[in-house]
Amino acid sequence: MKEIDAAKFKEIVKHGMEFLFQDRALLNRINVFPVPDGDTGDNLVFTLRPLYDEIDALDEPRLDDLAARLAARMLISAKGNSGVIFSQFFFSFAKALKGHAAIGPADFSLAMEKAVRETYESVADPREGTILTVLRHSAEEFKRLALDGELFHVIFEKVIVKAREIVEKTRELLPQLKKARVVDAGGLGFYLFFKGMASAVNPRSTAAAAGGAEAFDRVPLTVDAARLSYCAEWVLRPDGGDRDFFKDILRGHGDSLLIAGDADMLHLHIHTDNPEAVERELARHGRVLSRKVDSLQRHGREVPDVPVALAMDSAVDIPEAVEVTLAVTVIPLQIMLNDRFFRDKFEIGKEELYRRMRREKDLVVKTSQPSPFDFKTAFETALACKGQVLFFSLSSLLSGSHQNALAALRLLPDAARGRVRVIDTRNVSAGSGLLLLHALQLLGRGYGVEEAAAAAENVRDEVASLGYVESLEYAVRGGRLPPAAGWVTRVLGIQPLVAFEKGKLVRKGFLLGTRNKEKKVVRRFLRRLDLKRSYSLGIVYTDNPHAALRLQDELSRSPLKISNVFQAVGAAVLGAHAGPGTFCLFALPDSPEGE
């Protein structure tokens, strides 16, 4: 092969992602550096999955246009240390392709060389023995072979061998890896990606057909706990500052600082104890488009592999890692913005919805349930993957989603109908999600599908909740409340509190003013719980991640015993009713040992 054009590039990139995806769990297991948080595989999947889902639909005829489109998407979806490094490499590589409708080995190698250089520059403290080392040696080998006049199929074959050698050496180059006796998870991820590309360039490649990542699969012997509390990331539209400028102003806020992108858009990653202070600094120098804040402390539930397909409508919120790891099927509700419909999470993201609700003062937001045909199609797809399906719907008293799911069962063949179990959670958002996670844990302990479903239904009325609503303006716009309700809250300066009880939304009083609102809500929430028991918690928010961080901080300092906790951007159906500025706490008491 003498040239790679847009069609071939699309093919080889897709193969690369598929090779990486299949070893996600292994990459998580060996993840030691920069912190042992066991999520390198998940982060690379989060980074690349949106590209994988969209790539077949892209029709750019030129290589440079296609690469630019993919790179811009990856810059937004990047997650975690290795994911942001991966996105910077791809972003710089795509920039170097500008002007090329197709490309030969020499120019391909020059693009890789430029991408490696800029990727090193994006990291505040580049360390050898990481993904950076694997990238650099792979690019150097690619250039050497291209200058010798080799064609793509030969180059990729030999670069795979070189990359594998360097991955092996990472365990000796970095003290943390040497101590744990594992290779660098990010470097292994890049090797797998490149190996998948090679298999598409040359389907008869012996190196690509050779053993995969299983030789690197081992449990780290010793790991050091994370020193800082949060892994935080922002996508920022800067007001003139470049990567070096932002590295300088953020150095004192934490470590693992790296910044991908350019003057038009930056993706910033840092490990820090104070993400709020970092965001305040960023907001002084640009416009924050999105953020992700994850805990680095080793807590939370393990995600068991289960022999049943899990499904939910898009009004259910669970940790993103669980959704991706188990490939949970999501059946989207319909979001109507004025007169236009969008499929929730597929055609409009939750963050974009809340940005528009803030920005467009005349925007009317309504929701409607998926059709029975939508459910039927989703159930059939899930059944094709696994023999049974466990579906969780938001409360039947809040939406027709549950009823349409039951109607879909009647459209299935008799043999398939009995293999789909539909659960009315009598909740919404993380309340429903906690029930799904409860059933998931039981399935992981060997419960049957019916046993796990019945157990979830038995505790659904035990889910406690309390939510804060910044304004009733959005409920008034959508016709859910009369105009007088919004007027009263504005004039009196009060913020409503709400909860979900036995499947219905109920009012739970109000707050006077917004001062210390998170502390006040936590104090009231604790009154609803039995402090002698331990709980799993879900914290959801619309466009106010700071509130979620403050809520978790308040809860961690309270007498409440917390076994697991997750944060999530709240389901669109929740935000459509309650509006931006909303946050809500959900708690499910843990079952006694042995149940």
Side-chain angles (χ1 to χ4, degrees), residues 74-104:
M74 194 188 300
L75 191 64
I76 294 172
S77 64
K79 182 175 173 65
N81 194 74
S82 55
V84 178
I85 289 176
F86 213 100
S87 73
Q88 174 62 54
F89 178 82
F90 201 93
F91 185 83
S92 296
F93 180 80
K95 281 202 307 178
L97 296 182
K98 188 172 180 59
H100 292 278
I103 197 168

Side-chain angles (χ1 to χ4, degrees), residues 30-31 47 71-72 96 98 102 105 125 127 159 204 247 256 347 357 402 404 412 441 456 478 487 520 573 586:
I30 67 170
N31 174 203
T47 298
K98 188 172 180 59
D125 181 24
R127 306 285 294 278
V159 171
R204 294 188 296 275
K247 279 194 286 187
S256 295
E347 294 175 337
M357 290 178 75
H402 177 260
N404 282 355
L412 294 173
Q441 291 299 305
W487 179 83
K520 293 174 183 176
V573 69
F586 294 88

Side-chain angles (χ1 to χ4, degrees), residues 406-588:
L406 294 177
L409 295 184
R410 296 191 290 271
L411 302 177
L412 294 173
D414 292 343
R417 191 175 306 152
R419 293 189 284 124
V420 180
R421 180 66 155 82
V422 174
I423 295 176
D424 178 1
T425 66
R426 293 186 193 165
N427 275 276
V428 70
S429 186
S432 303
L434 288 170
L435 295 173
L436 186 153
L437 296 174
H438 178 63
L440 174 60
Q441 291 299 305
L442 296 179
L443 290 167
R445 285 157 47 185
Y447 278 55
V449 173
E450 188 55 46
E451 291 177 294
E457 290 173 333
N458 287 340
V459 299
R460 58 191 173 188
D461 289 338
E462 295 185 39
V463 176
S465 61
L466 188 63
Y468 166 91
V469 180
E470 184 179 274
S471 170
L472 294 179
E473 171 190 354
Y474 304 95
V476 171
R477 279 193 219 168
R480 302 176 192 95
L481 289 175
W487 179 83
V488 169
T489 57
R490 274 197 311 275
V491 170
L492 297 180
I494 61 176
Q495 273 65 48
L497 299 179
V498 297
F500 298 91
E501 295 181 350
K502 296 184 178 180
K504 296 181 179 179
L505 179 67
V506 296
R507 286 176 292 181
K508 285 293 176 181
F510 55 85
L511 294 182
L512 287 172
T514 60
R515 184 178 176 83
N516 295 323
K517 57 182 179 293
E518 294 86 7
K519 181 181 290 187
K520 293 174 183 176
V521 169
V522 167
R523 188 163 59 237
R524 293 200 188 194
F525 184 58
L526 294 178
R527 294 175 196 160
R528 302 170 60 80
L529 306 181
D530 179 359
L531 298 184
K532 296 178 182 178
R533 303 183 68 177
S534 65
Y535 288 82
S536 294
L537 301 181
I539 303 172
V540 297
Y541 56 92
T542 53
D543 62 342
N544 46 346
H546 300 318
L549 292 171
R550 287 190 284 268
L551 287 166
Q552 187 160 340
D553 184 55
E554 290 291 336
L555 287 164
S556 68
R557 291 189 279 109
S558 78
L560 182 65
K561 289 178 282 189
I562 302 171
S563 59
N564 296 286
V565 60
F566 74 91
Q567 296 182 17
V569 179
V573 69
L574 175 70
H577 287 72
T582 296
F583 59 78
C584 195
L585 295 167
F586 294 88
L588 176 64

Side-chain angles (χ1 to χ4, degrees), residues 25-341:
L26 185 157
L27 297 175
N28 286 342
R29 269 194 299 279
I30 67 170
N31 174 203
V32 168
F33 184 83
V35 291
D37 48 353
D39 63 359
T40 292
D42 291 341
N43 288 342
L44 288 172
V45 170
F46 295 152
T47 298
L48 296 171
R49 188 79 204 192
L51 277 71
Y52 186 82
D53 292 339
E54 298 170 7
I55 196 167
D56 286 336
L58 300 180
D59 57 0
E60 281 78 2
R62 292 178 55 91
L63 172 62
D64 52 0
D65 291 338
L66 173 66
R69 179 89 173 267
L70 293 172
R73 184 67 182 88
M74 194 188 300
L75 191 64
I76 294 172
S77 64
K79 182 175 173 65
N81 194 74
S82 55
V84 178
I85 289 176
F86 213 100
S87 73
Q88 174 62 54
F89 178 82
F90 201 93
F91 185 83
S92 296
F93 180 80
K95 281 202 307 178
L97 296 182
K98 188 172 180 59
H100 292 278
I103 197 168
D107 286 329
F108 197 102
S109 73
L110 292 174
M112 287 187 69
E113 184 178 47
K114 176 181 173 63
V116 167
R117 183 174 63 254
E118 292 191 358
T119 302
Y120 267 84
E121 292 170 354
S122 74
V123 182
D125 181 24
R127 306 285 294 278
E128 294 301 337
T130 65
I131 185 175
L132 293 172
T133 307
V134 181
L135 288 169
R136 178 168 59 81
H137 282 278
S138 299
E140 289 172 354
E141 181 71 355
F142 202 108
K143 182 178 180 180
R144 183 185 70 80
L145 294 165
L147 291 176
D148 285 345
E150 299 287 3
L151 299 181
F152 276 117
H153 68 282
V154 174
I155 295 175
F156 272 89
E157 181 86 358
K158 294 184 177 180
V159 171
I160 294 172
V161 176
K162 184 66 174 180
R164 185 181 179 94
E165 290 175 3
I166 301 305
V167 170
E168 287 277 11
K169 289 181 180 179
T170 59
R171 73 172 96 237
E172 302 298 326
L173 293 172
L174 203 59
Q176 293 92 327
L177 302 180
K178 188 171 186 177
K179 182 179 179 182
R181 297 187 185 177
V182 294
V183 301
D184 180 65
L188 180 58
F190 175 78
Y191 162 72
L192 293 170
F193 180 82
F194 207 82
K195 185 177 179 183
M197 293 175 67
S199 74
V201 170
N202 179 14
R204 294 188 296 275
S205 167
T206 56
E214 61 276 359
F216 302 103
D217 191 1
R218 62 182 65 187
V219 177
L221 291 185
T222 55
V223 293
D224 298 321
R227 183 175 63 85
L228 297 166
S229 299
Y230 298 102
C231 173
E233 298 174 42
W234 293 266
V235 176
L236 180 77
R237 192 82 71 185
D239 292 336
D242 59 11
R243 287 202 307 258
D244 289 339
F245 171 80
F246 284 99
K247 279 194 286 187
D248 288 341
I249 66 172
L250 296 182
R251 283 183 194 277
H253 287 274
D255 60 24
S256 295
L257 172 62
L258 61 106
I259 303 174
D262 60 13
D264 292 329
M265 186 183 295
L266 295 173
H267 191 124
L268 304 99
H269 170 282
I270 191 171
H271 292 170
T272 180
D273 281 330
N274 195 342
E276 291 184 76
V278 176
E279 180 154 335
R280 284 195 297 270
E281 188 68 31
L282 294 177
R284 293 175 53 218
H285 303 287
R287 181 162 64 93
V288 173
L289 303 180
S290 69
R291 82 276 290 164
K292 304 185 189 83
V293 180
D294 297 319
S295 173
L296 287 173
Q297 305 309 310
R298 296 180 69 84
H299 69 276
R301 63 183 76 236
E302 294 295 320
V303 181
D305 189 15
V306 293
V308 58
L310 296 174
M312 62 187 192
D313 60 40
S314 63
V316 179
D317 287 318
I318 59 175
E320 188 178 23
V322 176
E323 184 178 332
V324 174
T325 299
L326 294 181
V328 177
T329 298
V330 180
I331 298 96
L333 276 73
Q334 295 286 326
I335 308 295
M336 188 175 77
L337 304 183
N338 293 335
D339 296 323
R340 186 178 176 189
F341 280 95

